[in-house]
Amino acid sequence: MKQIKIKSDIVDNDTGKFYEWFGLGATYPEQIETALNDSDDDVVVDINSRGGDVFAASEIYTLLAQYPGNVTVNIQGLAASAASVIAMAGDKVRISPTAQLMIHKAWTATSGNSDDLQQESAVLNGVDESIINAYEAKTGLERTELLNMMAQESWLTAQDAVDKGFADEVITFNATPQILNAYQAPKIAKDKIEQWKKVMAKAKAYDDNHKKLTNKDELQAKISLLF
């Protein structure tokens, strides 16, 4: 089984290689494509990312969605923004009970005249529609509901994500209550406590007389309490 980790900013290929040259973490399409080409096994994708470049995320989503093997996505911490789009490519999406998923409308930094800004607004609206395609395919929710959730920048808990269809199940962890219930605090005999109080009183008397317990004295006192 092939494991892929998405634990950093999602960027384009050139930016990703630049990050790596400086020893910084990055997730980029070419990196994921290489990992998938090196395997014909089922794939597990572990996600904890705040997102990044939506077009790079779209390429990664497509690579995972068209992968012939089974793809399981584990949202371990955060699948936000562009990372939430990638998460939708899983045949099964699992989310940690402590994790969250965040979706929002596309945004950018731009400048220019009113015509430029109007054009940029149209581009962003188109990006939103593209993002909705991934959410709609996974959740089955109406596009108007999804767009409203994105406009509000929705943060979903694990159970919210499952209830809305963004995830298939909340990850459960095996507990061992029988061990916990069987545990008892160690019982200390009363005579040992009284003996400890005498040792501490002796040590205080030593200090009051401007003397100092040596390491040997301290060790002998501790040994005496064991027997």
Side-chain angles (χ1 to χ4, degrees):
M1 183 173 290
K2 182 72 175 181
Q3 192 165 35
I4 295 175
K5 296 183 181 296
I6 298 177
K7 301 294 184 72
S8 50
D9 291 346
I10 299 161
V11 297
D12 63 82
N13 291 330
D14 289 340
T15 303
K17 293 171 185 176
F18 179 80
Y19 275 31
E20 288 183 339
W21 191 73
F22 279 98
L24 302 174
T27 298
Y28 55 95
E30 189 175 310
Q31 177 190 65
I32 304 303
E33 184 174 21
T34 298
L36 294 175
N37 288 339
D38 288 344
S39 174
D40 56 4
D41 296 332
D42 291 342
V43 171
V44 174
V45 182
D46 294 332
I47 297 179
N48 182 24
S49 171
R50 59 187 179 182
D53 187 321
V54 68
F55 297 113
S58 174
E59 186 175 351
I60 294 171
Y61 168 87
T62 304
L63 288 167
L64 292 171
Q66 68 184 10
Y67 183 71
N70 186 67
V71 176
T72 299
V73 170
N74 293 320
I75 301 174
Q76 297 177 322
L78 175 64
S81 189
S84 70
V85 176
I86 294 175
M88 298 302 97
D91 297 302
K92 175 180 282 188
V93 180
R94 306 167 71 238
I95 182 168
S96 169
T98 58
Q100 290 202 345
L101 181 143
M102 186 274 276
I103 65 174
H104 68 149
K105 295 186 71 174
W107 64 272
T108 187
T110 189
S111 61
N113 59 33
S114 60
D115 293 334
D116 297 324
L117 297 178
Q118 188 172 7
Q119 171 65 20
E120 193 64 31
S121 178
V123 170
L124 291 174
N125 288 335
V127 171
D128 289 335
E129 291 296 329
S130 298
I131 292 172
I132 288 175
N133 289 335
Y135 297 146
E136 182 184 33
K138 179 63 182 175
T139 67
L141 295 175
E142 295 291 334
R143 296 180 72 86
T144 52
E145 181 178 357
L146 289 166
L147 185 60
N148 184 55
M149 291 178 65
M150 291 164 62
Q152 296 179 26
E153 188 179 292
S154 298
W155 291 78
L156 306 179
T157 65
Q159 193 57 56
D160 290 337
V162 171
D163 291 344
K164 290 289 188 181
F166 290 91
D168 299 300
E169 64 181 48
V170 178
I171 299 171
T172 57
F173 305 101
N174 293 329
T176 53
Q178 68 279 7
I179 296 177
L180 296 175
N181 292 338
Y183 173 78
Q184 293 182 347
K187 293 181 179 180
I188 302 175
K190 291 292 185 181
D191 63 325
K192 291 298 180 183
I193 294 176
E194 292 300 319
Q195 189 176 350
W196 170 76
K197 288 166 66 177
K198 291 178 181 178
V199 169
M200 296 304 293
K202 183 179 179 182
K204 185 177 184 304
Y206 246 151
D207 186 65
D208 288 343
N209 293 323
H210 305 292
K211 296 180 180 179
K212 184 178 181 181
L213 282 172
T214 65
N215 290 337
K216 181 180 178 180
D217 293 329
E218 184 179 1
L219 178 60
Q220 287 177 336
K222 289 179 178 178
I223 292 175
S224 70
L225 293 176
L226 296 176
F227 304 100

